[in-house]
């Protein structure tokens, strides 16, 4: 399997540090806004990587963090005159709700920065010991000049950064390119105790601390949106490698942005589409199809025509799956291999989806009783890519079963238990189990 590694600037053969387990740290969102389609593009990229590695037989330990303390979170809390913890809890729930709806596999853990102040302080102490950190007025900075390979991820040179006019001049820093790792408390803002006084962590240090805490000093894959390459990930590398003396991550995987009219979707640009609104309009499988039909390394422009195309694309798939339901046979090996070839080539999801449509096309011309292997191959590919096929079936069936059950309830209130039981048995034979509780009648597809 080959993955594009930002660190080397090329596709490389993936090899896990441990034989059969892969550690992944994917930078998650700052909890100060509703998750939008851009956040979900990052989440889906890590989800496809997660699922495909599982398909390949690896155990996967995926960590997706939440930034729950930073300038934007504090600003939001002031704006709304609410405790920052209330704000972050609310957006965390929104994010998790969106992830569940989009059928994103739960990562091993979703840690929050404020749960790891202890680990953050420990790593900063390491940096002091090794001469990479210095303190001024309760602020702690990272001494960029001392870290020789600074810039190896983003390709930026320290000399250019120094002369760059946009580098903010800060009297406290030894050098304008040094970055803050601990901020002194400002009046009225949340704070934690540290050896340098009351304050809070800088943004970059939290990811170094959490990645090392959950995954060890060297991890297999670190990922995030391409907007995080500089300075966030460059700084994470500097801090982590300066503290441990070991390489921080073997692979750096970056998904490209979701744009609107060629601008990054973001709250600050006021061009974002909250994902929980979008799923009211488009089913989760359609949103997944739309996003995965673009390779994660290519910028994607938000486009309703393409979403509508995904609607009809998904309709094709669904009609075929419904029509062939029950036809279970062995998959077509050559197409599963073709699927793996596509995915092994840096997660070529557009190529993988093209195989599905090719199979649909072929299945249309074979006799009904020979469609089974096509159905099975398509199902395996779709499930591996995270499409929720079973959910789709139950949603489709829902109005029909609900009507049958309300008829059954009428029979029961009339005392016609014999007929009511017969309906239950007929549903059971059709693969739908019915359970009567005190309050209501529940059903599910077996
Ligand atoms: Zn991060």
């Amino acid at each position: 399997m080959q993955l594009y590694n930002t660190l080397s600037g090329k596709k490389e053969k993936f090899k896990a540090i441990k034989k059969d387990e892969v550690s992944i740290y994917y930078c998650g969102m700052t909890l100060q806004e509703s998750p939008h389609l851009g956040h979900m593009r990052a989440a889906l990229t890590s989800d496809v990587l997660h699922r495909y590695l599982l398909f390949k037989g690896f155990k996967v330990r995926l960590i997706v963090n939440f930034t729950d303390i930073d300038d934007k979170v504090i600003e939001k809390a002031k704006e709304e005159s609410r405790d920052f913890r209330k704000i972050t809890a609310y957006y965390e729930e929104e994010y998790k709700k969106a992830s569940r709806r989009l059928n994103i596999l739960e990562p091993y853990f979703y840690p929050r920065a404020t749960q790891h102040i202890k680990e953050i302080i420990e790593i900063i102490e390491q940096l002091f010991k090794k001469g990479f950190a210095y303190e001024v007025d309760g602020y702690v900075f990272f001494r960029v000049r001392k870290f020789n390979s600074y810039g190896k991820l983003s390709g930026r040179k320290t000399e250019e950064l120094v002369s760059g006019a946009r580098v903010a001049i800060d009297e406290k820093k030894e050098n304008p390119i040094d970055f803050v790792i601990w901020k002194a408390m400002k009046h009225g803002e949340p704070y934690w105790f540290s050896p340098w006084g009351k304050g809070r962590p800088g943004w970059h240090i939290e990811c170094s601390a959490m990645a090392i805490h959950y995954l060890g000093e060297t991890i297999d894959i670190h990922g995030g949106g391409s907007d995080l390459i500089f300075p966030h990930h460059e700084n994470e590398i500097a801090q982590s490698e300066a503290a441990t003396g070991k390489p921080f991550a073997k692979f750096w995987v970056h998904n490209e942005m979701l744009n609107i009219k060629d601008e990054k979707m973001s709250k600050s640009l006021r061009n974002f589409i909250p994902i929980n609104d979008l799923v009211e309009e488009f089913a989760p499988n359609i949103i997944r199809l739309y996003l995965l039909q673009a390779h994660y390394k290519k910028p994607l422009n938000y486009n309703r025509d393409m979403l509508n195309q995904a609607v009809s694309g998904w309709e094709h798939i669904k009609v075929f799956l419904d029509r062939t339901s029950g036809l279970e046979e062995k998959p077509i090996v050559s197409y599963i291999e073709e699927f793996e070839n596509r995915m092994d080539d840096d997660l070529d999801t557009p190529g993988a989806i093209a195989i599905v449509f090719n199979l649909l096309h072929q299945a249309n011309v074979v006799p009904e009783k020979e469609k089974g292997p096509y159905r099975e191959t398509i199902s395996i590919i779709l499930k591996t890519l995270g499409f929720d096929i079973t959910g789709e079936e139950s949603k489709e069936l829902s109005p029909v079963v609900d009507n049958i059950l309300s008829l059954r309830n009428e029979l029961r209130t009339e005392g016609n238990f014999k007929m009511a039981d017969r309906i239950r048995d007929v549903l059971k034979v059709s693969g739908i189990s019915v359970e009567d509780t005190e309050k209501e009648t529940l059903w599910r597809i077996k």
Side-chain angles (χ1 to χ4, degrees):
M1 177 183 178
Q2 297 227 324
L3 278 179
Y4 183 89
N5 189 351
T6 310
L7 196 56
S8 63
K10 56 177 194 274
K11 286 184 200 171
E12 282 177 51
K13 189 168 190 275
F14 176 73
K15 198 168 169 284
I17 301 166
K18 289 183 195 167
K19 208 171 110 257
D20 58 354
E21 192 177 310
V22 181
S23 52
I24 310 175
Y25 186 93
Y26 220 90
C27 286
M29 70 178 288
T30 301
L31 298 172
Q32 49 96 26
E33 61 181 319
S34 293
H36 56 60
L37 199 57
H39 295 119
M40 287 301 129
R41 189 175 194 200
L44 269 195
T45 304
S46 66
D47 189 51
V48 166
L49 181 60
H50 185 181
R51 287 173 180 275
Y52 189 61
L53 288 167
L54 291 175
F55 174 82
K56 294 290 244 184
F58 289 103
K59 279 186 220 136
V60 180
R61 188 179 272 222
L62 168 66
I63 297 290
V64 178
N65 75 298
F66 288 125
T67 297
D68 64 340
I69 186 75
D70 84 335
D71 294 347
K72 286 188 221 154
V73 170
I74 292 172
E75 210 176 287
K76 183 90 184 168
K78 275 187 194 155
E79 231 174 76
E80 297 193 7
S81 316
R82 287 163 78 200
D83 188 286
F84 81 100
R85 288 176 200 84
K86 290 229 167 77
I87 306 270
T88 56
Y90 175 80
Y91 290 116
E92 179 176 343
E93 205 30 65
E94 281 233 310
Y95 180 88
K96 287 181 173 169
K97 183 177 153 199
S99 297
R100 282 192 296 269
R101 290 175 91 170
L102 287 189
N103 201 34
I104 286 166
L105 280 184
E106 184 96 349
Y108 178 77
F109 199 58
Y110 283 118
R112 293 154 143 254
T114 60
Q115 294 167 330
H116 292 285
I117 302 294
K118 182 174 148 274
E119 287 77 14
I120 290 169
I121 289 174
E122 278 167 11
I123 189 170
I124 298 176
E125 283 180 323
Q126 279 299 314
L127 293 174
F128 267 104
K129 247 184 233 162
K130 299 189 176 179
F132 286 99
Y134 60 93
E135 188 248 306
V136 183
D137 302 337
Y139 283 81
V140 180
F141 296 99
F142 185 89
R143 199 170 267 134
V144 169
R145 283 268 186 213
K146 193 174 158 61
F147 187 71
N148 287 332
S149 55
Y150 191 82
K152 65 179 169 182
L153 183 73
S154 60
R156 308 215 184 186
K157 307 228 167 7
T158 43
E159 297 73 35
E160 287 165 16
L161 291 169
V162 175
S163 63
R166 270 170 291 170
V167 174
I169 302 293
D170 186 333
E171 303 281 284
K172 293 187 175 65
K173 294 181 187 176
E174 285 176 4
N175 190 314
I177 58 172
D178 292 350
F179 58 88
V180 67
I181 45 187
W182 185 267
K183 293 183 176 180
M185 184 190 82
K186 283 195 200 131
H187 182 71
E189 291 187 352
Y191 63 87
W192 289 264
F193 292 98
S194 83
W196 322 283
K198 293 175 193 169
R200 62 185 166 94
W203 171 33
H204 318 299
I205 197 74
E206 66 175 82
C207 287
S208 292
M210 289 186 276
I212 292 171
H213 177 71
Y214 287 99
L215 304 171
E217 291 179 339
T218 302
I219 62 181
D220 285 305
I221 302 170
H222 193 313
S226 59
D227 55 337
L228 298 180
I229 296 172
F230 188 87
H232 186 54
H233 288 163
E234 196 67 69
N235 292 352
E236 274 190 49
I237 292 178
Q239 298 159 156
S240 308
E241 298 191 353
T244 67
K246 291 178 189 151
F248 180 40
K250 295 266 184 196
F251 277 79
W252 284 86
V253 168
H254 291 101
N255 64 276
E256 267 307 326
M257 294 294 99
L258 185 90
N259 298 325
I260 290 196
K261 297 187 184 111
D262 296 314
E263 268 188 326
K264 174 182 146 187
M265 185 180 281
S266 80
K267 192 190 173 202
S268 49
L269 295 172
R270 296 185 179 280
N271 64 0
F272 67 106
I273 296 157
I275 192 70
N276 288 321
D277 289 354
L278 201 66
V279 287
E280 295 300 329
E281 207 180 333
F282 297 98
N285 282 329
I286 290 164
I287 296 174
R288 190 174 277 261
L289 184 63
Y290 165 67
L291 290 175
L292 297 189
Q293 274 184 309
H295 189 261
Y296 78 95
K297 292 291 306 168
K298 293 221 171 91
L300 174 63
N301 257 315
Y302 174 74
N303 179 324
R304 285 190 76 91
D305 289 343
M306 277 172 68
L307 260 167
N308 286 324
Q309 274 173 36
V311 172
S312 58
W314 186 253
E315 187 64 22
H316 265 86
I317 295 172
K318 200 157 58 84
V319 166
F320 176 76
L321 291 177
D322 287 349
R323 209 177 60 203
T324 53
S325 152
L327 284 182
E328 272 158 20
E329 280 187 55
K330 289 208 170 73
I332 309 166
V333 175
S334 61
Y335 281 102
I336 297 292
E337 281 171 5
E338 180 57 23
F339 166 65
E340 284 194 62
N341 289 338
R342 297 284 23 102
M343 292 297 284
D344 282 350
D345 182 14
D346 195 27
L347 307 175
D348 178 9
T349 55
I353 289 167
I355 298 172
V356 170
F357 286 109
N358 180 13
L359 283 164
L360 279 178
H361 195 70
Q362 291 185 42
N364 276 333
V365 293
V366 304
E368 209 61 25
K369 60 180 191 316
E370 288 169 30
K371 292 190 201 288
Y374 290 91
R375 179 195 162 80
E376 192 57 24
T377 314
I378 289 171
S379 301
I380 290 171
I381 295 174
L382 291 176
K383 279 187 205 157
T384 308
L385 294 175
F387 290 92
D388 181 7
I389 307 176
T390 46
E392 202 59 42
E393 279 168 1
S394 87
K395 259 173 262 153
E396 281 298 299
L397 274 174
S398 184
V400 182
V401 179
D402 287 345
N403 281 335
I404 295 174
L405 287 178
S406 69
L407 176 68
R408 177 172 170 268
N409 276 339
E410 276 176 39
L411 292 166
R412 274 155 55 96
T413 35
E414 285 167 13
N416 191 347
F417 294 105
K418 200 175 156 202
M419 204 56 199
D421 285 348
R422 232 180 96 53
I423 290 178
R424 189 194 58 205
D425 294 342
V426 168
L427 285 172
K428 195 176 169 189
V429 173
S430 323
I432 294 164
S433 70
V434 175
E435 190 196 339
D436 295 307
T437 69
E438 243 170 62
K439 273 196 209 137
E440 57 188 339
T441 304
L442 304 171
W443 65 273
R444 64 184 176 85
I445 298 173
K446 280 188 292 186

